[in-house]
Amino acid sequence: MRPLLCCLGLATLLGPCLACPSACSCSTKKNGRLLAECAYKDLQEVPKGLSSNVTILTLSANRIGWLGQGSFAEVPEVQSLWLGYNQIGMVEPGAFTLLVHLKNLDLSHNKIADFPWQDLHNLSGLQILKMNNNRLAGLPRDAFRSLKDLRSLWLNDNELTTLAEGTFDNLPSLSQLQIFNNPFNCSCKVFWLKKWTEDTSASITKGGSTLCVAPSRLKGRAVTDIPDHHCVAPSVQLTYLSNLDNTVMYDGLTLTLHCSVAGSPPPEIRWKIQTSSHHVEINGPNVARDGNVKQNQERFLVFKNGTMAIPNFSKEDEGIYTCLAVNDVGKRDVSVNVALAGSENPAEDLLRDDPQASHLGGRSCYKGHEMDSSSAGEKLVIVYHMPRESKNRAGGVVPQVHLGTLLLALGIVLCC
């Protein structure tokens, strides 16, 4: 019995060391961690037969070209995984999902163009991530959102032309970032990076090598040195007009809203319309130069100069009208709540509908982003009436087209 127990005890002690592929050398470190050293072995795939107790796995400088979903199924306890200087070009989704104890991941000097970024969401304990010297041309804004302990991030020497604003948000432990030697297109989409580097406490290693490749006027200039005047957030101003003469093209009231914007680059104008029965979004003009209306949106006519016209404005068109100005730096919006009222005495109807409306006959300005989106801006009351008849210059009576009188609209401006 004693010899059998001795053999079992010896097997227990040596078991972790015996579970080691022939191409690797395995040993126990002083801190009790099991190291599997498999570097420089000309391996073409992750070796099989590794002990489940391995916490450090070195596979650097091999010829591994592919990582599958089960490549690391045998080593769920691994904390440090070194895969640098291989030929990895394909990484299947789920390849790293089970490695929840991972703290150090080195994938540098490979051929990775597409990476399953969702795998990182399970690696909340990751502290070092090296993905430099690959072929990454982009990465999603939320790629690193779960990495609260990440201290060092290497993305240098890739093919990144831009980075989404907020890419490095939610990284409270980040102390080192390397993004140099990427062909950045210094449009205003990366202007946020200049502001971020000014505010962050993280070290931007070789910041002077983080250069613009485009546009031509900024080529060779540091990303962190983009001129402030090159990128200006949008401002927006909304003016309300009404057809108050007989030169209208439509019977009834044509409500006209004009949206003026400014910024660099020049902002795009978008409209959002919320009525009781419709929610409409119009991204750009729908009226061509020849007058044809695009996209079958004849109800709301949007012109290139920022003007919107709503012919035959009726009770069904009451609601919230929002103009948005959008460019690469940000967006601003301003809204108005348009209501239609009918009365033989417009002044009484107006005051009854809005007791404070009488003091709005002049010019006023409001910050669009400070408005409550539920009310979406200053109330605008339209009083609609139908004159029975009018005389022409010859003294004859002629039918009068239906005209609307838009009170409060003339001269009122909302801006942001």
Side-chain angles (χ1 to χ4, degrees):
M1 181 64 69
R2 285 186 177 180
L4 178 59
L5 291 176
C6 291
C7 291
L8 290 174
L10 185 60
T12 301
L13 292 172
L14 297 178
C17 296
L18 294 175
C20 189
S22 59
C24 307
S25 60
C26 301
S27 60
T28 303
K29 309 295 286 184
K30 291 182 178 179
N31 56 11
R33 294 180 180 178
L34 184 61
L35 167 65
E37 177 62 68
C38 312
Y40 297 95
K41 300 298 182 180
D42 207 31
L43 297 173
Q44 297 185 30
E45 62 181 12
V46 178
K48 301 297 182 182
L50 289 164
S51 170
S52 61
N53 296 329
V54 168
T55 55
I56 304 172
L57 178 57
T58 303
L59 290 164
S60 305
N62 282 291
R63 293 196 296 127
I64 299 172
W66 170 83
L67 296 177
Q69 189 172 4
S71 292
F72 305 106
E74 294 182 339
V75 288
E77 302 295 323
V78 71
Q79 297 180 17
S80 297
L81 180 57
W82 311 110
L83 288 158
Y85 293 93
N86 274 281
Q87 299 177 18
I88 301 170
M90 172 69 178
V91 183
E92 284 189 354
F96 301 102
T97 302
L98 300 178
L99 305 183
V100 296
H101 301 288
L102 202 59
K103 294 183 178 180
N104 306 304
L105 177 58
D106 180 9
L107 288 163
S108 64
H109 296 273
N110 278 287
K111 301 177 181 180
I112 301 172
D114 295 310
F115 185 79
W117 299 103
Q118 64 273 17
D119 279 19
L120 299 184
H121 296 169
N122 279 0
L123 311 184
S124 58
L126 200 63
Q127 297 178 7
I128 297 175
L129 176 60
K130 294 185 177 183
M131 301 196 72
N132 53 293
N133 295 87
N134 274 285
R135 299 176 181 176
L136 298 174
L139 52 118
R141 181 184 183 276
D142 63 347
F144 313 117
R145 69 180 184 189
S146 301
L147 308 183
K148 305 297 184 183
D149 294 332
L150 191 67
R151 296 185 286 106
S152 182
L153 177 60
W154 299 37
L155 295 168
N156 56 284
D157 293 277
N158 274 285
E159 298 176 10
L160 298 172
T161 58
T162 188
L163 290 169
E165 184 172 1
T167 297
F168 307 123
D169 289 354
N170 302 315
L171 296 177
S173 302
L174 189 66
S175 60
Q176 181 187 32
L177 174 65
Q178 298 196 7
I179 55 173
F180 58 89
N181 290 346
N182 277 289
F184 283 111
N185 181 347
C186 292
S187 70
C188 293
K189 290 182 179 180
V190 297
F191 185 68
W192 68 271
L193 189 58
K194 173 183 177 178
K195 300 297 184 182
W196 183 84
T197 56
E198 292 173 352
D199 297 335
T200 186
S201 59
S203 172
I204 314 298
T205 310
K206 293 188 178 180
S209 299
T210 308
L211 305 178
C212 304
V213 172
S216 57
R217 65 181 180 275
L218 296 177
K219 185 176 182 180
R221 194 163 185 167
V223 172
T224 55
D225 195 28
I226 300 175
D228 288 343
H229 64 80
H230 180 65
C231 302
V232 180
S235 61
V236 58
Q237 178 175 287
L238 190 55
T239 308
Y240 313 89
L241 302 173
S242 170
N243 56 294
L244 298 179
D245 53 35
N246 296 349
T247 60
V248 296
M249 297 176 60
Y250 306 91
D251 288 348
L253 171 66
T254 297
L255 176 66
T256 303
L257 312 179
H258 182 71
C259 188
S260 301
V261 299
S264 180
E268 298 178 1
I269 296 176
R270 303 174 186 174
W271 291 90
K272 290 185 178 181
I273 304 158
Q274 180 69 62
T275 68
S276 58
S277 58
H278 294 92
H279 179 76
V280 180
E281 295 188 10
I282 305 175
N283 297 325
N286 60 14
V287 180
R289 291 184 178 180
D290 58 7
N292 291 327
V293 181
K294 306 174 186 177
Q295 302 174 352
N296 297 319
Q297 292 178 337
E298 293 87 352
R299 189 77 203 98
F300 307 102
L301 306 179
V302 177
F303 299 85
K304 187 176 181 180
N305 68 349
T307 296
M308 173 190 286
I310 305 100
N312 300 310
F313 193 88
S314 68
K315 292 290 288 184
E316 294 181 356
D317 300 314
E318 289 183 327
I320 299 169
Y321 289 75
T322 302
C323 174
L324 299 94
V326 182
N327 68 7
D328 291 339
V329 186
K331 67 180 180 180
R332 292 290 186 273
D333 65 81
V334 64
S335 302
V336 65
N337 194 341
V338 183
L340 184 64
S343 174
E344 293 298 327
N345 191 332
E348 289 183 3
D349 187 273
L350 175 61
L351 293 174
R352 181 173 64 251
D353 201 74
D354 187 352
Q356 297 183 353
S358 59
H359 76 276
L360 294 175
R363 180 182 180 88
S364 56
C365 188
Y366 301 86
K367 292 291 185 181
H369 63 277
E370 294 178 354
M371 289 183 175
D372 180 0
S373 60
S374 62
S375 59
E378 186 64 34
K379 185 174 184 181
L380 181 68
V381 178
I382 303 171
V383 180
Y384 185 62
H385 69 289
M386 297 171 54
R388 292 188 178 89
E389 60 185 23
S390 63
K391 293 184 178 181
N392 60 19
R393 293 182 179 179
V397 177
V398 297
Q400 176 77 320
V401 296
H402 297 176
L403 292 177
T405 301
L406 179 60
L407 300 182
L408 304 184
L410 298 178
I412 294 181
V413 176
L414 300 184
C415 61
C416 178

